[in-house]
Amino acid sequence: MKPRQSLSQYDYRPPEMLAYLRYYGYHFSRRMHDFAVSRMRRDNKPITPWTKEKVEQTLHKYGITLDNAVAYDHVYVLNMALADFYGSSITDERALALFVKDYVDDEDQPDGFVFNRFYADCALSGTPIPWEDVLDPS
């Protein structure tokens, strides 16, 4: 399949967003992950997010290795699945870990698609991203 040019290149990007992208590309930093997850709900209540360490321990527990894990992308995916699917279509912890593998290592997705999906959801819902607050170059 031939790579396509992203139409997002025509979008306006504030300087703070460009600064973020210079550091992280289209990937989740720790602070961006924390912002995104703070907005996640299950049954109208905030979820209790899993830490990066807990996510990675769970993947290891089930013998799952991610080929395309970058920064906090896989942690975001697990917490998104926890909020949206766990206890319904994803019935147990092993299936949750396998979902992360399937999502992060999806072979026909371009680099940065996890973050881009989040960004598109924010744009569609009118959710502002506090770019200066999530820029964490350390």
Side-chain angles (χ1 to χ4, degrees):
M1 180 161 73
K2 181 181 171 189
R4 295 180 298 237
Q5 188 174 21
S6 171
L7 296 177
S8 66
Q9 69 178 333
Y10 302 107
D11 293 346
Y12 168 74
R13 293 183 179 96
E16 298 84 3
M17 179 184 183
L18 293 175
Y20 179 90
L21 294 174
R22 274 192 291 277
Y23 282 106
Y24 303 105
Y26 281 90
H27 297 285
F28 281 89
S29 68
R30 180 188 53 80
R31 285 186 183 176
M32 181 64 82
H33 163 270
D34 292 349
F35 165 73
V37 171
S38 74
R39 305 184 56 78
M40 293 180 181
R41 304 282 182 271
R42 178 77 180 195
D43 299 323
N44 291 318
K45 296 178 201 154
I47 66 165
T48 302
W50 288 23
T51 64
K52 186 174 188 178
E53 293 75 24
K54 183 173 181 180
V55 171
E56 291 175 353
Q57 287 171 354
T58 301
L59 293 170
H60 180 74
K61 175 180 175 182
Y62 295 106
I64 296 170
T65 302
L66 301 177
D67 298 321
N68 299 312
V70 177
Y72 276 74
D73 290 0
H74 60 299
V75 185
Y76 169 81
V77 169
L78 185 135
N79 282 303
M80 183 228 7
L82 192 65
D84 297 343
F85 308 115
Y86 194 64
S88 179
S89 59
I90 298 175
T91 57
D92 59 35
E93 194 177 84
R94 181 176 177 276
L96 184 63
L98 287 169
F99 176 85
V100 172
K101 169 75 173 168
D102 291 343
Y103 203 91
V104 170
D105 287 345
D106 185 348
E107 68 183 41
D108 61 352
Q109 292 296 336
D111 179 55
F113 83 97
V114 172
F115 183 84
N116 197 53
R117 164 69 196 277
F118 160 75
Y119 177 66
D121 287 348
C122 287
L124 186 62
S125 67
T127 302
I129 297 174
W131 294 107
E132 286 185 33
D133 295 343
V134 297
L135 185 59
D136 181 14
S138 58

PDB file of all heavy atoms in Angstrom, residues 17-50:
ATOM      1  N   MET A  17       1.888  23.964  20.036  1.00  0.00           N
ATOM      2  CA  MET A  17       1.724  22.620  19.481  1.00  0.00           C
ATOM      3  C   MET A  17       2.956  22.237  18.670  1.00  0.00           C
ATOM      4  O   MET A  17       3.446  21.105  18.775  1.00  0.00           O
ATOM      5  CB  MET A  17       0.479  22.531  18.606  1.00  0.00           C
ATOM      6  CG  MET A  17       0.275  21.166  17.976  1.00  0.00           C
ATOM      7  SD  MET A  17      -1.144  21.159  16.866  1.00  0.00           S
ATOM      8  CE  MET A  17      -1.169  19.437  16.375  1.00  0.00           C
ATOM      9  N   LEU A  18       3.454  23.167  17.882  1.00  0.00           N
ATOM     10  CA  LEU A  18       4.655  22.885  17.098  1.00  0.00           C
ATOM     11  C   LEU A  18       5.845  22.568  18.005  1.00  0.00           C
ATOM     12  O   LEU A  18       6.644  21.679  17.699  1.00  0.00           O
ATOM     13  CB  LEU A  18       4.977  24.056  16.178  1.00  0.00           C
ATOM     14  CG  LEU A  18       3.947  24.301  15.063  1.00  0.00           C
ATOM     15  CD1 LEU A  18       4.299  25.567  14.298  1.00  0.00           C
ATOM     16  CD2 LEU A  18       3.852  23.099  14.146  1.00  0.00           C
ATOM     17  N   ALA A  19       5.936  23.281  19.125  1.00  0.00           N
ATOM     18  CA  ALA A  19       7.006  22.992  20.088  1.00  0.00           C
ATOM     19  C   ALA A  19       6.849  21.579  20.633  1.00  0.00           C
ATOM     20  O   ALA A  19       7.818  20.827  20.742  1.00  0.00           O
ATOM     21  CB  ALA A  19       6.997  24.021  21.215  1.00  0.00           C
ATOM     22  N   TYR A  20       5.621  21.202  20.970  1.00  0.00           N
ATOM     23  CA  TYR A  20       5.354  19.838  21.459  1.00  0.00           C
ATOM     24  C   TYR A  20       5.783  18.817  20.402  1.00  0.00           C
ATOM     25  O   TYR A  20       6.476  17.841  20.705  1.00  0.00           O
ATOM     26  CB  TYR A  20       3.869  19.667  21.798  1.00  0.00           C
ATOM     27  CG  TYR A  20       3.547  18.276  22.290  1.00  0.00           C
ATOM     28  CD1 TYR A  20       3.607  17.965  23.641  1.00  0.00           C
ATOM     29  CD2 TYR A  20       3.214  17.254  21.400  1.00  0.00           C
ATOM     30  CE1 TYR A  20       3.344  16.678  24.092  1.00  0.00           C
ATOM     31  CE2 TYR A  20       2.950  15.974  21.838  1.00  0.00           C
ATOM     32  CZ  TYR A  20       3.012  15.687  23.182  1.00  0.00           C
ATOM     33  OH  TYR A  20       2.759  14.410  23.619  1.00  0.00           O
ATOM     34  N   LEU A  21       5.368  19.032  19.163  1.00  0.00           N
ATOM     35  CA  LEU A  21       5.684  18.090  18.089  1.00  0.00           C
ATOM     36  C   LEU A  21       7.179  17.994  17.831  1.00  0.00           C
ATOM     37  O   LEU A  21       7.680  16.928  17.466  1.00  0.00           O
ATOM     38  CB  LEU A  21       4.936  18.467  16.813  1.00  0.00           C
ATOM     39  CG  LEU A  21       3.416  18.339  16.874  1.00  0.00           C
ATOM     40  CD1 LEU A  21       2.784  18.880  15.598  1.00  0.00           C
ATOM     41  CD2 LEU A  21       2.993  16.904  17.136  1.00  0.00           C
ATOM     42  N   ARG A  22       7.907  19.071  18.046  1.00  0.00           N
ATOM     43  CA  ARG A  22       9.367  19.027  17.895  1.00  0.00           C
ATOM     44  C   ARG A  22       9.994  18.059  18.902  1.00  0.00           C
ATOM     45  O   ARG A  22      10.966  17.392  18.600  1.00  0.00           O
ATOM     46  CB  ARG A  22       9.986  20.411  18.046  1.00  0.00           C
ATOM     47  CG  ARG A  22      10.010  21.201  16.755  1.00  0.00           C
ATOM     48  CD  ARG A  22      10.888  22.438  16.856  1.00  0.00           C
ATOM     49  NE  ARG A  22      10.342  23.451  17.734  1.00  0.00           N
ATOM     50  CZ  ARG A  22       9.422  24.350  17.381  1.00  0.00           C
ATOM     51  NH1 ARG A  22       8.928  24.335  16.169  1.00  0.00           N
ATOM     52  NH2 ARG A  22       8.991  25.239  18.229  1.00  0.00           N
ATOM     53  N   TYR A  23       9.450  18.030  20.109  1.00  0.00           N
ATOM     54  CA  TYR A  23       9.980  17.131  21.143  1.00  0.00           C
ATOM     55  C   TYR A  23       9.489  15.700  20.998  1.00  0.00           C
ATOM     56  O   TYR A  23      10.242  14.754  21.203  1.00  0.00           O
ATOM     57  CB  TYR A  23       9.602  17.622  22.543  1.00  0.00           C
ATOM     58  CG  TYR A  23      10.446  18.758  23.036  1.00  0.00           C
ATOM     59  CD1 TYR A  23       9.935  20.036  23.088  1.00  0.00           C
ATOM     60  CD2 TYR A  23      11.756  18.558  23.461  1.00  0.00           C
ATOM     61  CE1 TYR A  23      10.704  21.102  23.544  1.00  0.00           C
ATOM     62  CE2 TYR A  23      12.535  19.605  23.917  1.00  0.00           C
ATOM     63  CZ  TYR A  23      11.999  20.874  23.958  1.00  0.00           C
ATOM     64  OH  TYR A  23      12.756  21.909  24.403  1.00  0.00           O
ATOM     65  N   TYR A  24       8.214  15.516  20.702  1.00  0.00           N
ATOM     66  CA  TYR A  24       7.601  14.186  20.788  1.00  0.00           C
ATOM     67  C   TYR A  24       7.054  13.641  19.485  1.00  0.00           C
ATOM     68  O   TYR A  24       6.671  12.468  19.435  1.00  0.00           O
ATOM     69  CB  TYR A  24       6.457  14.209  21.814  1.00  0.00           C
ATOM     70  CG  TYR A  24       6.922  14.647  23.159  1.00  0.00           C
ATOM     71  CD1 TYR A  24       6.638  15.908  23.643  1.00  0.00           C
ATOM     72  CD2 TYR A  24       7.698  13.804  23.952  1.00  0.00           C
ATOM     73  CE1 TYR A  24       7.092  16.324  24.884  1.00  0.00           C
ATOM     74  CE2 TYR A  24       8.165  14.206  25.189  1.00  0.00           C
ATOM     75  CZ  TYR A  24       7.854  15.473  25.646  1.00  0.00           C
ATOM     76  OH  TYR A  24       8.309  15.881  26.861  1.00  0.00           O
ATOM     77  N   GLY A  25       6.969  14.452  18.445  1.00  0.00           N
ATOM     78  CA  GLY A  25       6.277  13.993  17.250  1.00  0.00           C
ATOM     79  C   GLY A  25       4.818  13.748  17.609  1.00  0.00           C
ATOM     80  O   GLY A  25       4.301  14.316  18.576  1.00  0.00           O
ATOM     81  N   TYR A  26       4.162  12.895  16.853  1.00  0.00           N
ATOM     82  CA  TYR A  26       2.765  12.561  17.160  1.00  0.00           C
ATOM     83  C   TYR A  26       2.726  11.372  18.111  1.00  0.00           C
ATOM     84  O   TYR A  26       2.267  10.278  17.764  1.00  0.00           O
ATOM     85  CB  TYR A  26       1.987  12.278  15.871  1.00  0.00           C
ATOM     86  CG  TYR A  26       1.576  13.537  15.153  1.00  0.00           C
ATOM     87  CD1 TYR A  26       2.400  14.121  14.196  1.00  0.00           C
ATOM     88  CD2 TYR A  26       0.381  14.162  15.462  1.00  0.00           C
ATOM     89  CE1 TYR A  26       2.025  15.292  13.558  1.00  0.00           C
ATOM     90  CE2 TYR A  26       0.006  15.333  14.827  1.00  0.00           C
ATOM     91  CZ  TYR A  26       0.829  15.896  13.868  1.00  0.00           C
ATOM     92  OH  TYR A  26       0.462  17.047  13.244  1.00  0.00           O
ATOM     93  N   HIS A  27       3.254  11.611  19.328  1.00  0.00           N
ATOM     94  CA  HIS A  27       3.276  10.585  20.370  1.00  0.00           C
ATOM     95  C   HIS A  27       2.955  11.233  21.709  1.00  0.00           C
ATOM     96  O   HIS A  27       3.082  12.447  21.872  1.00  0.00           O
ATOM     97  CB  HIS A  27       4.641   9.893  20.414  1.00  0.00           C
ATOM     98  CG  HIS A  27       4.950   9.156  19.148  1.00  0.00           C
ATOM     99  ND1 HIS A  27       4.368   7.960  18.834  1.00  0.00           N
ATOM    100  CD2 HIS A  27       5.750   9.484  18.105  1.00  0.00           C
ATOM    101  CE1 HIS A  27       4.799   7.571  17.654  1.00  0.00           C
ATOM    102  NE2 HIS A  27       5.643   8.477  17.186  1.00  0.00           N
ATOM    103  N   PHE A  28       2.568  10.416  22.657  1.00  0.00           N
ATOM    104  CA  PHE A  28       2.192  10.901  23.984  1.00  0.00           C
ATOM    105  C   PHE A  28       3.406  11.051  24.888  1.00  0.00           C
ATOM    106  O   PHE A  28       4.138  10.089  25.116  1.00  0.00           O
ATOM    107  CB  PHE A  28       1.213   9.924  24.662  1.00  0.00           C
ATOM    108  CG  PHE A  28      -0.181  10.055  24.172  1.00  0.00           C
ATOM    109  CD1 PHE A  28      -0.616   9.318  23.082  1.00  0.00           C
ATOM    110  CD2 PHE A  28      -1.065  10.915  24.793  1.00  0.00           C
ATOM    111  CE1 PHE A  28      -1.908   9.439  22.620  1.00  0.00           C
ATOM    112  CE2 PHE A  28      -2.366  11.051  24.335  1.00  0.00           C
ATOM    113  CZ  PHE A  28      -2.788  10.311  23.241  1.00  0.00           C
ATOM    114  N   SER A  29       3.592  12.256  25.406  1.00  0.00           N
ATOM    115  CA  SER A  29       4.536  12.450  26.504  1.00  0.00           C
ATOM    116  C   SER A  29       3.813  12.025  27.784  1.00  0.00           C
ATOM    117  O   SER A  29       2.611  11.753  27.773  1.00  0.00           O
ATOM    118  CB  SER A  29       4.931  13.926  26.609  1.00  0.00           C
ATOM    119  OG  SER A  29       3.815  14.708  27.043  1.00  0.00           O
ATOM    120  N   ARG A  30       4.534  11.987  28.876  1.00  0.00           N
ATOM    121  CA  ARG A  30       3.899  11.653  30.159  1.00  0.00           C
ATOM    122  C   ARG A  30       2.800  12.657  30.485  1.00  0.00           C
ATOM    123  O   ARG A  30       1.681  12.284  30.847  1.00  0.00           O
ATOM    124  CB  ARG A  30       4.933  11.620  31.287  1.00  0.00           C
ATOM    125  CG  ARG A  30       4.307  11.279  32.651  1.00  0.00           C
ATOM    126  CD  ARG A  30       5.318  11.436  33.784  1.00  0.00           C
ATOM    127  NE  ARG A  30       5.961  12.727  33.817  1.00  0.00           N
ATOM    128  CZ  ARG A  30       5.406  13.840  34.334  1.00  0.00           C
ATOM    129  NH1 ARG A  30       4.197  13.817  34.845  1.00  0.00           N
ATOM    130  NH2 ARG A  30       6.068  14.988  34.341  1.00  0.00           N
ATOM    131  N   ARG A  31       3.092  13.932  30.332  1.00  0.00           N
ATOM    132  CA  ARG A  31       2.102  14.961  30.679  1.00  0.00           C
ATOM    133  C   ARG A  31       0.904  14.944  29.737  1.00  0.00           C
ATOM    134  O   ARG A  31      -0.225  15.163  30.176  1.00  0.00           O
ATOM    135  CB  ARG A  31       2.731  16.340  30.694  1.00  0.00           C
ATOM    136  CG  ARG A  31       3.598  16.578  31.902  1.00  0.00           C
ATOM    137  CD  ARG A  31       4.066  18.008  31.932  1.00  0.00           C
ATOM    138  NE  ARG A  31       4.945  18.239  33.050  1.00  0.00           N
ATOM    139  CZ  ARG A  31       5.562  19.383  33.267  1.00  0.00           C
ATOM    140  NH1 ARG A  31       5.397  20.396  32.446  1.00  0.00           N
ATOM    141  NH2 ARG A  31       6.349  19.523  34.302  1.00  0.00           N
ATOM    142  N   MET A  32       1.144  14.715  28.450  1.00  0.00           N
ATOM    143  CA  MET A  32       0.017  14.646  27.510  1.00  0.00           C
ATOM    144  C   MET A  32      -0.848  13.437  27.850  1.00  0.00           C
ATOM    145  O   MET A  32      -2.075  13.508  27.829  1.00  0.00           O
ATOM    146  CB  MET A  32       0.510  14.562  26.073  1.00  0.00           C
ATOM    147  CG  MET A  32      -0.626  14.506  25.057  1.00  0.00           C
ATOM    148  SD  MET A  32      -1.649  15.996  25.007  1.00  0.00           S
ATOM    149  CE  MET A  32      -0.621  17.025  23.970  1.00  0.00           C
ATOM    150  N   HIS A  33      -0.214  12.326  28.169  1.00  0.00           N
ATOM    151  CA  HIS A  33      -0.957  11.140  28.595  1.00  0.00           C
ATOM    152  C   HIS A  33      -1.809  11.460  29.818  1.00  0.00           C
ATOM    153  O   HIS A  33      -2.999  11.146  29.864  1.00  0.00           O
ATOM    154  CB  HIS A  33       0.005   9.983  28.908  1.00  0.00           C
ATOM    155  CG  HIS A  33      -0.626   8.902  29.702  1.00  0.00           C
ATOM    156  ND1 HIS A  33      -0.615   8.892  31.081  1.00  0.00           N
ATOM    157  CD2 HIS A  33      -1.319   7.814  29.319  1.00  0.00           C
ATOM    158  CE1 HIS A  33      -1.276   7.832  31.506  1.00  0.00           C
ATOM    159  NE2 HIS A  33      -1.703   7.158  30.457  1.00  0.00           N
ATOM    160  N   ASP A  34      -1.202  12.104  30.797  1.00  0.00           N
ATOM    161  CA  ASP A  34      -1.931  12.430  32.025  1.00  0.00           C
ATOM    162  C   ASP A  34      -3.126  13.337  31.736  1.00  0.00           C
ATOM    163  O   ASP A  34      -4.207  13.147  32.296  1.00  0.00           O
ATOM    164  CB  ASP A  34      -1.008  13.081  33.047  1.00  0.00           C
ATOM    165  CG  ASP A  34       0.050  12.131  33.594  1.00  0.00           C
ATOM    166  OD1 ASP A  34      -0.043  10.911  33.352  1.00  0.00           O
ATOM    167  OD2 ASP A  34       0.991  12.620  34.249  1.00  0.00           O
ATOM    168  N   PHE A  35      -2.951  14.319  30.844  1.00  0.00           N
ATOM    169  CA  PHE A  35      -4.062  15.193  30.462  1.00  0.00           C
ATOM    170  C   PHE A  35      -5.170  14.377  29.797  1.00  0.00           C
ATOM    171  O   PHE A  35      -6.342  14.490  30.162  1.00  0.00           O
ATOM    172  CB  PHE A  35      -3.584  16.299  29.516  1.00  0.00           C
ATOM    173  CG  PHE A  35      -4.716  17.000  28.820  1.00  0.00           C
ATOM    174  CD1 PHE A  35      -5.532  17.888  29.513  1.00  0.00           C
ATOM    175  CD2 PHE A  35      -4.988  16.755  27.481  1.00  0.00           C
ATOM    176  CE1 PHE A  35      -6.605  18.516  28.877  1.00  0.00           C
ATOM    177  CE2 PHE A  35      -6.044  17.382  26.847  1.00  0.00           C
ATOM    178  CZ  PHE A  35      -6.857  18.262  27.540  1.00  0.00           C
ATOM    179  N   ALA A  36      -4.795  13.552  28.825  1.00  0.00           N
ATOM    180  CA  ALA A  36      -5.790  12.774  28.088  1.00  0.00           C
ATOM    181  C   ALA A  36      -6.551  11.832  29.011  1.00  0.00           C
ATOM    182  O   ALA A  36      -7.787  11.759  28.963  1.00  0.00           O
ATOM    183  CB  ALA A  36      -5.105  11.980  26.970  1.00  0.00           C
ATOM    184  N   VAL A  37      -5.831  11.140  29.853  1.00  0.00           N
ATOM    185  CA  VAL A  37      -6.463  10.163  30.734  1.00  0.00           C
ATOM    186  C   VAL A  37      -7.329  10.844  31.794  1.00  0.00           C
ATOM    187  O   VAL A  37      -8.357  10.305  32.207  1.00  0.00           O
ATOM    188  CB  VAL A  37      -5.391   9.242  31.364  1.00  0.00           C
ATOM    189  CG1 VAL A  37      -5.969   8.360  32.447  1.00  0.00           C
ATOM    190  CG2 VAL A  37      -4.752   8.385  30.275  1.00  0.00           C
ATOM    191  N   SER A  38      -6.971  12.053  32.191  1.00  0.00           N
ATOM    192  CA  SER A  38      -7.774  12.766  33.199  1.00  0.00           C
ATOM    193  C   SER A  38      -9.186  13.060  32.689  1.00  0.00           C
ATOM    194  O   SER A  38     -10.092  13.312  33.487  1.00  0.00           O
ATOM    195  CB  SER A  38      -7.094  14.078  33.608  1.00  0.00           C
ATOM    196  OG  SER A  38      -7.217  15.056  32.585  1.00  0.00           O
ATOM    197  N   ARG A  39      -9.390  12.996  31.400  1.00  0.00           N
ATOM    198  CA  ARG A  39     -10.694  13.276  30.803  1.00  0.00           C
ATOM    199  C   ARG A  39     -11.504  11.996  30.549  1.00  0.00           C
ATOM    200  O   ARG A  39     -12.644  12.067  30.137  1.00  0.00           O
ATOM    201  CB  ARG A  39     -10.498  14.045  29.505  1.00  0.00           C
ATOM    202  CG  ARG A  39      -9.661  15.318  29.716  1.00  0.00           C
ATOM    203  CD  ARG A  39      -9.525  16.146  28.503  1.00  0.00           C
ATOM    204  NE  ARG A  39     -10.806  16.512  27.938  1.00  0.00           N
ATOM    205  CZ  ARG A  39     -11.618  17.472  28.406  1.00  0.00           C
ATOM    206  NH1 ARG A  39     -11.248  18.174  29.460  1.00  0.00           N
ATOM    207  NH2 ARG A  39     -12.761  17.735  27.818  1.00  0.00           N
ATOM    208  N   MET A  40     -10.900  10.839  30.781  1.00  0.00           N
ATOM    209  CA  MET A  40     -11.572   9.564  30.494  1.00  0.00           C
ATOM    210  C   MET A  40     -12.568   9.218  31.588  1.00  0.00           C
ATOM    211  O   MET A  40     -12.292   9.392  32.773  1.00  0.00           O
ATOM    212  CB  MET A  40     -10.550   8.445  30.343  1.00  0.00           C
ATOM    213  CG  MET A  40      -9.681   8.591  29.133  1.00  0.00           C
ATOM    214  SD  MET A  40      -8.496   7.236  29.021  1.00  0.00           S
ATOM    215  CE  MET A  40      -7.602   7.700  27.550  1.00  0.00           C
ATOM    216  N   ARG A  41     -13.708   8.699  31.146  1.00  0.00           N
ATOM    217  CA  ARG A  41     -14.790   8.345  32.071  1.00  0.00           C
ATOM    218  C   ARG A  41     -15.314   6.950  31.759  1.00  0.00           C
ATOM    219  O   ARG A  41     -15.305   6.511  30.616  1.00  0.00           O
ATOM    220  CB  ARG A  41     -15.965   9.327  31.937  1.00  0.00           C
ATOM    221  CG  ARG A  41     -15.602  10.793  32.136  1.00  0.00           C
ATOM    222  CD  ARG A  41     -15.448  11.089  33.618  1.00  0.00           C
ATOM    223  NE  ARG A  41     -15.152  12.471  33.906  1.00  0.00           N
ATOM    224  CZ  ARG A  41     -13.933  12.992  33.969  1.00  0.00           C
ATOM    225  NH1 ARG A  41     -12.889  12.258  33.730  1.00  0.00           N
ATOM    226  NH2 ARG A  41     -13.748  14.246  34.276  1.00  0.00           N
ATOM    227  N   ARG A  42     -15.810   6.305  32.789  1.00  0.00           N
ATOM    228  CA  ARG A  42     -16.536   5.035  32.667  1.00  0.00           C
ATOM    229  C   ARG A  42     -17.732   5.171  33.587  1.00  0.00           C
ATOM    230  O   ARG A  42     -17.580   5.472  34.783  1.00  0.00           O
ATOM    231  CB  ARG A  42     -15.644   3.866  33.080  1.00  0.00           C
ATOM    232  CG  ARG A  42     -16.296   2.521  33.038  1.00  0.00           C
ATOM    233  CD  ARG A  42     -16.385   2.026  31.622  1.00  0.00           C
ATOM    234  NE  ARG A  42     -17.013   0.725  31.576  1.00  0.00           N
ATOM    235  CZ  ARG A  42     -16.963  -0.047  30.529  1.00  0.00           C
ATOM    236  NH1 ARG A  42     -16.294   0.330  29.454  1.00  0.00           N
ATOM    237  NH2 ARG A  42     -17.576  -1.199  30.542  1.00  0.00           N
ATOM    238  N   ASP A  43     -18.929   5.015  33.057  1.00  0.00           N
ATOM    239  CA  ASP A  43     -20.161   5.188  33.840  1.00  0.00           C
ATOM    240  C   ASP A  43     -20.214   6.571  34.490  1.00  0.00           C
ATOM    241  O   ASP A  43     -20.561   6.709  35.663  1.00  0.00           O
ATOM    242  CB  ASP A  43     -20.294   4.084  34.893  1.00  0.00           C
ATOM    243  CG  ASP A  43     -20.358   2.702  34.273  1.00  0.00           C
ATOM    244  OD1 ASP A  43     -20.977   2.561  33.194  1.00  0.00           O
ATOM    245  OD2 ASP A  43     -19.789   1.761  34.867  1.00  0.00           O
ATOM    246  N   ASN A  44     -19.804   7.577  33.737  1.00  0.00           N
ATOM    247  CA  ASN A  44     -19.806   8.980  34.176  1.00  0.00           C
ATOM    248  C   ASN A  44     -18.897   9.269  35.356  1.00  0.00           C
ATOM    249  O   ASN A  44     -19.069  10.275  36.043  1.00  0.00           O
ATOM    250  CB  ASN A  44     -21.234   9.458  34.484  1.00  0.00           C
ATOM    251  CG  ASN A  44     -22.057   9.574  33.229  1.00  0.00           C
ATOM    252  OD1 ASN A  44     -21.575  10.057  32.201  1.00  0.00           O
ATOM    253  ND2 ASN A  44     -23.298   9.129  33.286  1.00  0.00           N
ATOM    254  N   LYS A  45     -17.927   8.396  35.600  1.00  0.00           N
ATOM    255  CA  LYS A  45     -16.958   8.609  36.682  1.00  0.00           C
ATOM    256  C   LYS A  45     -15.558   8.532  36.094  1.00  0.00           C
ATOM    257  O   LYS A  45     -15.311   7.748  35.176  1.00  0.00           O
ATOM    258  CB  LYS A  45     -17.105   7.527  37.758  1.00  0.00           C
ATOM    259  CG  LYS A  45     -18.433   7.543  38.459  1.00  0.00           C
ATOM    260  CD  LYS A  45     -18.500   6.407  39.457  1.00  0.00           C
ATOM    261  CE  LYS A  45     -19.952   6.110  39.761  1.00  0.00           C
ATOM    262  NZ  LYS A  45     -20.172   4.751  40.185  1.00  0.00           N
ATOM    263  N   PRO A  46     -14.628   9.325  36.634  1.00  0.00           N
ATOM    264  CA  PRO A  46     -13.241   9.226  36.152  1.00  0.00           C
ATOM    265  C   PRO A  46     -12.699   7.814  36.360  1.00  0.00           C
ATOM    266  O   PRO A  46     -13.019   7.163  37.368  1.00  0.00           O
ATOM    267  CB  PRO A  46     -12.471  10.220  37.017  1.00  0.00           C
ATOM    268  CG  PRO A  46     -13.498  11.106  37.637  1.00  0.00           C
ATOM    269  CD  PRO A  46     -14.773  10.317  37.701  1.00  0.00           C
ATOM    270  N   ILE A  47     -11.910   7.345  35.418  1.00  0.00           N
ATOM    271  CA  ILE A  47     -11.295   6.024  35.599  1.00  0.00           C
ATOM    272  C   ILE A  47     -10.113   6.154  36.558  1.00  0.00           C
ATOM    273  O   ILE A  47      -9.602   7.252  36.789  1.00  0.00           O
ATOM    274  CB  ILE A  47     -10.820   5.416  34.266  1.00  0.00           C
ATOM    275  CG1 ILE A  47      -9.662   6.225  33.661  1.00  0.00           C
ATOM    276  CG2 ILE A  47     -11.974   5.266  33.282  1.00  0.00           C
ATOM    277  CD1 ILE A  47      -8.913   5.508  32.551  1.00  0.00           C
ATOM    278  N   THR A  48      -9.704   5.044  37.105  1.00  0.00           N
ATOM    279  CA  THR A  48      -8.460   4.980  37.857  1.00  0.00           C
ATOM    280  C   THR A  48      -7.404   4.507  36.864  1.00  0.00           C
ATOM    281  O   THR A  48      -7.386   3.335  36.487  1.00  0.00           O
ATOM    282  CB  THR A  48      -8.563   3.999  39.041  1.00  0.00           C
ATOM    283  OG1 THR A  48      -9.629   4.422  39.892  1.00  0.00           O
ATOM    284  CG2 THR A  48      -7.256   3.928  39.808  1.00  0.00           C
ATOM    285  N   PRO A  49      -6.573   5.435  36.387  1.00  0.00           N
ATOM    286  CA  PRO A  49      -5.647   5.062  35.311  1.00  0.00           C
ATOM    287  C   PRO A  49      -4.549   4.123  35.778  1.00  0.00           C
ATOM    288  O   PRO A  49      -4.139   4.144  36.934  1.00  0.00           O
ATOM    289  CB  PRO A  49      -5.066   6.402  34.869  1.00  0.00           C
ATOM    290  CG  PRO A  49      -5.264   7.325  36.000  1.00  0.00           C
ATOM    291  CD  PRO A  49      -6.456   6.836  36.771  1.00  0.00           C
ATOM    292  N   TRP A  50      -4.103   3.303  34.842  1.00  0.00           N
ATOM    293  CA  TRP A  50      -2.964   2.444  35.083  1.00  0.00           C
ATOM    294  C   TRP A  50      -1.691   3.224  34.779  1.00  0.00           C
ATOM    295  O   TRP A  50      -1.640   3.989  33.825  1.00  0.00           O
ATOM    296  CB  TRP A  50      -3.027   1.216  34.195  1.00  0.00           C
ATOM    297  CG  TRP A  50      -4.076   0.215  34.575  1.00  0.00           C
ATOM    298  CD1 TRP A  50      -5.225   0.436  35.290  1.00  0.00           C
ATOM    299  CD2 TRP A  50      -4.079  -1.161  34.231  1.00  0.00           C
ATOM    300  NE1 TRP A  50      -5.931  -0.719  35.407  1.00  0.00           N
ATOM    301  CE2 TRP A  50      -5.246  -1.726  34.772  1.00  0.00           C
ATOM    302  CE3 TRP A  50      -3.211  -1.971  33.519  1.00  0.00           C
ATOM    303  CZ2 TRP A  50      -5.562  -3.065  34.615  1.00  0.00           C
ATOM    304  CZ3 TRP A  50      -3.527  -3.309  33.360  1.00  0.00           C
ATOM    305  CH2 TRP A  50      -4.687  -3.852  33.914  1.00  0.00           C
TER     306      TRP A  50
END
